Amino acid sequence: MSLSTARNAAIAKLRAAGIENPSREAELLLGAVFPKTYGDFETIFTPEFEARYQAVVDRRAKREPLSHITGRRAFWEHSFHVSSAVLDPRPDTETLVEAALNLSFSRVLDLGTGSGCILLSLLAARPEARGVGVDISEAALAVAEQNRAMLELEACAELNQSDWFANVEGQFDLIVSNPPYITAEVFETLQPEVREFEPKIALTPRGDGLDCYRVIAGEAASYLRSDGHLMLEIGFDQADTASEILRDAGWCDVTVGNDLSGHPRVISAKRG
């Protein structure tokens, strides 16, 4: 089979599987299986490469995320290692990073760090700062450790297993988190790439999706310096309820920032 024939077959298979922009994804999958040093794919499209290409196309046709197949996902200024153990970094979360970098901080805590994309993006941009990332999942922390090593931030970033604040010590200028916030009802409507391949624990706390905000609102103040900030990602329709949770817990200066689509995405607050 020629390269063009294999590519056209891949496009057809991906289109039939309901993949948006199958032509682009067929090209990205092609790049994932070929050595990056080769510019002319046609000359090295051997039966071995054809089999590898068809294998990754089959995985994608089953709706496995492209990032899980390539093992990488671009976020902020870096390309992060990802796997089925962590939430895929999303452009919406870059809104949280951008908002945090508008603040002055020397010590940051990232709750539910996952791949480490938030914490490590902040520390890479602020080499003088130090941070702690915690997650309940050992598998997620292993991915975060990979990314920490990739960015050479071992001296800046500490990674610990913790159920929220259970193993957290000390005071911080900034506490950030992208907690699970999808409701149990909405979770069932998610695309297969998300619902079937990403860790459910990182997506939904079940119920109304707000339990994690209640935990953080109730405990974070004990770990935040008096002039520090709490910043949380929220669902596009959760601004009012999340704000109410924070205010009821005694937080002040509660504000909401929008993402690039104009949707409420980041909630910020200070200790009362």
Side-chain angles (χ1 to χ4, degrees), residues 243-266:
S243 297
E244 183 178 356
I245 288 171
L246 288 169
R247 291 192 182 101
D248 287 349
W251 293 84
C252 66
D253 295 342
V254 178
T255 59
V256 176
N258 294 343
D259 59 25
L260 292 177
S261 298
H263 297 136
R265 190 60 61 187
V266 174

Side-chain angles (χ1 to χ4, degrees), residues 20 165 169 210 226 230 265 268:
E20 293 184 13
F165 295 95
E169 296 180 352
L210 296 166
S226 59
L230 173 67
R265 190 60 61 187
S268 176

Side-chain angles (χ1 to χ4, degrees), residues 123-180:
L123 296 179
R126 296 280 179 83
E128 73 283 358
R130 297 294 181 267
V132 178
V134 297
D135 203 290
I136 196 172
S137 167
E138 290 186 17
L141 288 170
V143 176
E145 288 169 358
Q146 277 186 288
N147 288 317
R148 179 178 63 178
M150 175 190 69
L151 295 175
E152 299 181 349
L153 291 172
E154 292 92 339
C156 304
E158 179 182 338
L159 298 170
N160 298 320
Q161 186 176 20
S162 181
D163 185 358
W164 297 117
F165 295 95
N167 295 321
V168 174
E169 296 180 352
Q171 297 279 296
F172 300 86
D173 307 297
L174 175 64
I175 297 177
V176 296
S177 182
N178 176 19

Side-chain angles (χ1 to χ4, degrees), residues 17 57-64 192 196-197:
V57 169
D58 287 342
R59 289 172 63 186
R60 186 66 186 104
K62 294 176 182 177
R63 304 301 290 268
E64 184 175 352
E196 297 176 14
F197 290 95

Side-chain angles (χ1 to χ4, degrees), residues 182-215:
I182 297 172
T183 68
E185 181 180 3
V186 170
F187 177 81
E188 299 302 326
T189 70
L190 298 177
Q191 290 184 326
E193 287 89 340
V194 179
R195 188 181 66 250
E196 297 176 14
F197 290 95
E198 294 194 66
K200 187 174 183 179
I201 193 175
L203 290 163
T204 177
R206 305 178 188 274
D208 65 0
L210 296 166
D211 282 353
C212 298
Y213 298 105
R214 297 183 179 103
V215 172

Side-chain angles (χ1 to χ4, degrees), residues 100 103-111 130 165 168-177 216-232 246 249-254 267-272:
L103 301 174
S104 175
F105 61 86
S106 61
R107 195 157 189 256
V108 57
L109 170 65
D110 181 17
L111 297 165
R130 297 294 181 267
F165 295 95
V168 174
E169 296 180 352
Q171 297 279 296
F172 300 86
D173 307 297
L174 175 64
I175 297 177
V176 296
S177 182
I216 295 171
E219 300 185 36
S222 299
Y223 301 89
L224 194 66
R225 291 173 179 153
S226 59
D227 58 345
H229 288 80
L230 173 67
M231 281 192 167
L232 308 172
L246 288 169
W251 293 84
C252 66
D253 295 342
V254 178
I267 191 165
S268 176
K270 300 188 71 173
R271 284 177 52 181

